[in-house]
Amino acid sequence: MEGLPIHITINPELYTKNPESSDLGKKIVHTSIEMINDLGFESFTFRKLGVAIGSNESSIYRYFESKHALLVYLINWYWSWIEYKLVFATTNITSAKDRLNTAITLLTEEVKEDNSFTFINEVLLNKIIISESAKAYYTKDIDEENKKGFYKTYKRVVQRVSDMVLEINPKFEFPHMLISTVIEGAHHQRYFSQHLPSLTDVEEGKNNVVRFYTDLVQKTVV
Amino acid sequence: MEGLPIHITINPELYTKNPESSDLGKKIVHTSIEMINDLGFESFTFRKLGVAIGSNESSIYRYFESKHALLVYLINWYWSWIEYKLVFATTNITSAKDRLNTAITLLTEEVKEDNSFTFINEVLLNKIIISESAKAYYTKDIDEENKKGFYKTYKRVVQRVSDMVLEINPKFEFPHMLISTVIEGAHHQRYFSQHLPSLTDVEEGKNNVVRFYTDLVQKTVV
DNA sequence: TTTATTTAATAGTAATACTTTCATATCTTT
DNA sequence: AAAGATATGAAAGTATTACTATTAAATAAA
């Protein structure tokens, strides 16, 4: 996938000024990913980010109106990236079952190193999605933000994979529930395996998360 | 279940002073449940709670050292209550399959009115579990808190139901993953159905959440 | 080179999540 | 009923957060 001239476009509603339009903007995104990982979202502040990139807090606010807005931006970037990978990985697979299997694997596997995008570290971003994204959508403003399209990319991914489910079994009643359960579930399992292992059955190097969910989907969809 | 002299005991590590030991303590718990529901956890403060119950912020801190600690207390109360209901509902069911089915239903159904506990509104508490509990365990302090037993009751519920899975199929590799996926999944679905409906297939009055998960478990465990 | 745009520096604000101190009320024990 | 202990209240204080506003300096575009 390296070298391909892909570019991920983000809905302009998700930023005040496009961070891709300047060095400072890219540094904001790049460094915020590292810092949110290190500190956790609640301890991460624009002031600290400013110090880290040798810039000023007020300059960061010109790109994102709040740290919540930055998190929403990152989430959307992530799901656009996953959508791209998903489409890329599943086109030209003729068997519907194989296609769904590939999709579930992609959604549940660990994200390994990636070199496609210079200013975004996808491995760290995946960790943020796992441990911080609930904080973005479990707020009182969810309905308002949803109307503005803040969660569109995520919903689009769920829709695409739900469609694959329906291709296999057009009568299956709960495709969206199944896929959102798998996505959220896999993220939880990755987190639990690190911090609350008794809630999982993850074993080192056995790929249990992927095996569990691909198996679950296969058995459920029929 | 009304009238039974049950009492839920909470690990003393989870409070500074036992809220059940005084009227003020009970008022704190009772009213915080209402306020967290109304305002959301981030906008809820001990100051506002103090005003609401006609008491002082500093008095509330004598019961809980932080609002995070209060949330953890509520979560533990909830899971102790669920554990009690679970044991009550599944004893004397001889068929292992029926027992598991009953358990999954209990874990995924909507919580309706309950009158057992005067100072805790279980319907509202369930809503808090759904929309706020991720905020308790997705923190940087998770490992430390887990060591102190902050999430024991939840883990015990998962263990009990996992054991039921193993009774049906002792060779099933992923009982904990299955049950934690179902519990978290059902909560997500309830939330999504209100706020991000395109991620679900919930329809009014059709009990789809329970149907989806009981079906999923049945098909997966075999 | 003038003009426009971007960034930096500084200060300020209201609110949060507490902590501290001290006074007062209430309950318990004798 | 008095003395002591414990629980609660009132008030003030602190460090930090999540911004906003203003103005100046640096940089880029016409």
Side-chain angles (χ1 to χ4, degrees):
Chain A
M1 231 153 85
E2 292 147 65
L4 262 185
I6 4 138
H7 180 252
I8 280 167
T9 308
I10 302 295
N11 173 3
E13 287 246 41
L14 298 172
Y15 48 73
T16 309
K17 178 181 170 160
N18 191 350
E20 288 192 72
S21 71
S22 74
D23 278 356
L24 178 62
K26 280 177 216 156
K27 235 199 261 180
I28 288 170
V29 172
H30 175 86
T31 310
S32 69
I33 291 173
E34 289 178 346
M35 290 186 79
I36 292 172
N37 256 284
D38 286 349
L39 305 174
F41 186 66
E42 13 285 308
S43 299
F44 163 79
T45 70
F46 279 3
R47 172 153 299 176
K48 289 175 188 169
L49 175 59
V51 172
I53 63 178
S55 177
N56 196 272
E57 205 184 350
S58 62
S59 304
I60 300 166
Y61 277 102
R62 293 224 172 69
Y63 288 85
F64 297 101
E65 69 179 27
S66 64
K67 69 173 186 169
H68 173 78
L70 169 58
L71 181 59
V72 171
Y73 175 92
L74 294 177
I75 291 171
N76 271 275
W77 198 98
Y78 179 81
W79 288 111
S80 292
W81 176 64
I82 290 286
E83 186 180 26
Y84 160 73
K85 292 215 297 179
L86 184 70
V87 172
F88 198 86
T90 55
T91 30
N92 302 327
I93 298 182
T94 42
S95 147
K97 281 197 175 184
D98 288 353
R99 223 177 312 136
L100 180 59
N101 227 49
T102 303
I104 299 300
T105 300
L106 196 130
L107 293 173
T108 57
E109 74 191 349
E110 234 185 313
V111 172
K112 294 148 219 146
E113 31 115 27
D114 191 291
N115 342 39
S116 309
F117 300 91
T118 46
F119 75 111
I120 292 199
N121 180 331
E122 292 88 358
V123 179
L124 293 184
L125 183 53
N126 171 253
K127 288 187 181 161
I128 291 175
I129 299 302
I130 288 173
S131 25
E132 315 293 352
S133 63
K135 293 165 194 169
Y137 53 80
Y138 280 98
T139 25
K140 284 282 163 189
D141 304 323
I142 177 73
D143 298 328
E144 221 175 290
E145 296 190 347
N146 185 33
K147 261 185 211 151
K148 288 192 204 149
F150 281 26
Y151 302 98
K152 224 180 222 167
T153 48
Y154 179 46
K155 296 193 298 194
R156 219 161 49 208
V157 167
V158 170
Q159 188 56 52
R160 277 185 192 277
V161 186
S162 297
D163 289 342
M164 295 181 196
V165 169
L166 290 175
E167 274 184 77
I168 295 174
N169 178 359
K171 288 189 175 158
F172 184 65
E173 270 182 282
F174 314 120
H176 303 89
M177 283 174 96
L178 178 63
I179 299 310
S180 61
T181 295
V182 167
I183 293 174
E184 298 289 328
H187 290 167
H188 277 116
Q189 296 302 320
R190 299 264 171 224
Y191 185 82
F192 291 162
S193 73
Q194 299 280 311
H195 304 292
L196 301 167
S198 62
L199 299 178
T200 73
D201 312 272
V202 175
E203 289 157 278
E204 198 63 49
K206 292 191 99 182
N207 210 19
N208 283 2
V209 176
V210 174
R211 282 173 56 221
F212 170 66
Y213 286 107
T214 47
D215 190 59
L216 181 148
V217 169
Q218 264 173 45
K219 285 180 175 156
T220 310
V221 168
V222 187
Chain B
M1 232 152 86
E2 293 149 64
L4 264 185
I6 3 137
H7 180 252
I8 280 167
T9 308
I10 302 295
N11 174 1
E13 286 245 41
L14 297 172
Y15 48 73
T16 309
K17 177 180 172 161
N18 190 349
E20 288 192 72
S21 70
S22 74
D23 278 357
L24 177 62
K26 283 177 216 156
K27 235 199 261 180
I28 288 170
V29 172
H30 175 87
T31 310
S32 70
I33 291 173
E34 288 178 347
M35 290 186 78
I36 292 172
N37 256 286
D38 287 348
L39 306 173
F41 186 67
E42 13 285 308
S43 298
F44 164 79
T45 70
F46 279 3
R47 171 154 298 176
K48 288 176 190 169
L49 175 59
V51 173
I53 63 178
S55 178
N56 195 271
E57 208 183 349
S58 62
S59 304
I60 300 165
Y61 277 101
R62 292 211 177 81
Y63 288 84
F64 297 102
E65 69 180 28
S66 64
K67 70 173 185 168
H68 173 78
L70 170 58
L71 181 59
V72 172
Y73 175 90
L74 293 177
I75 290 172
N76 272 275
W77 199 99
Y78 179 81
W79 288 110
S80 292
W81 176 63
I82 291 285
E83 187 181 24
Y84 160 73
K85 293 214 298 179
L86 184 69
V87 173
F88 197 87
T90 54
T91 31
N92 304 324
I93 298 181
T94 42
S95 149
K97 281 198 175 183
D98 288 352
R99 223 175 315 134
L100 180 59
N101 226 49
T102 304
I104 299 300
T105 301
L106 196 131
L107 293 174
T108 57
E109 74 190 351
E110 235 186 313
V111 172
K112 294 148 218 146
E113 30 116 27
D114 189 292
N115 342 38
S116 309
F117 300 91
T118 45
F119 74 109
I120 293 196
N121 180 330
E122 291 88 359
V123 179
L124 293 183
L125 183 53
N126 172 253
K127 288 188 179 161
I128 290 175
I129 298 303
I130 289 173
S131 25
E132 315 293 353
S133 64
K135 293 164 194 169
Y137 52 82
Y138 280 99
T139 23
K140 282 284 164 189
D141 304 323
I142 177 73
D143 297 329
E144 222 175 290
E145 297 190 346
N146 185 33
K147 262 186 210 149
K148 289 192 204 150
F150 281 27
Y151 301 99
K152 223 178 220 167
T153 50
Y154 179 48
K155 295 193 300 195
R156 220 159 49 208
V157 167
V158 171
Q159 188 56 52
R160 277 185 191 277
V161 186
S162 296
D163 288 343
M164 295 181 195
V165 169
L166 290 175
E167 275 185 78
I168 295 174
N169 178 0
K171 288 189 175 156
F172 184 65
E173 271 183 282
F174 315 118
H176 304 89
M177 284 172 95
L178 178 62
I179 300 309
S180 62
T181 296
V182 166
I183 293 174
E184 298 290 327
H187 290 167
H188 278 115
Q189 295 302 319
R190 299 263 171 224
Y191 185 82
F192 291 162
S193 73
Q194 298 280 312
H195 304 292
L196 300 166
S198 61
L199 299 177
T200 73
D201 312 273
V202 174
E203 289 158 277
E204 199 63 50
K206 291 190 102 184
N207 211 20
N208 284 3
V209 176
V210 174
R211 281 173 57 221
F212 170 67
Y213 285 107
T214 47
D215 190 60
L216 180 148
V217 169
Q218 264 173 44
K219 283 180 176 157
T220 310
V221 169
V222 188

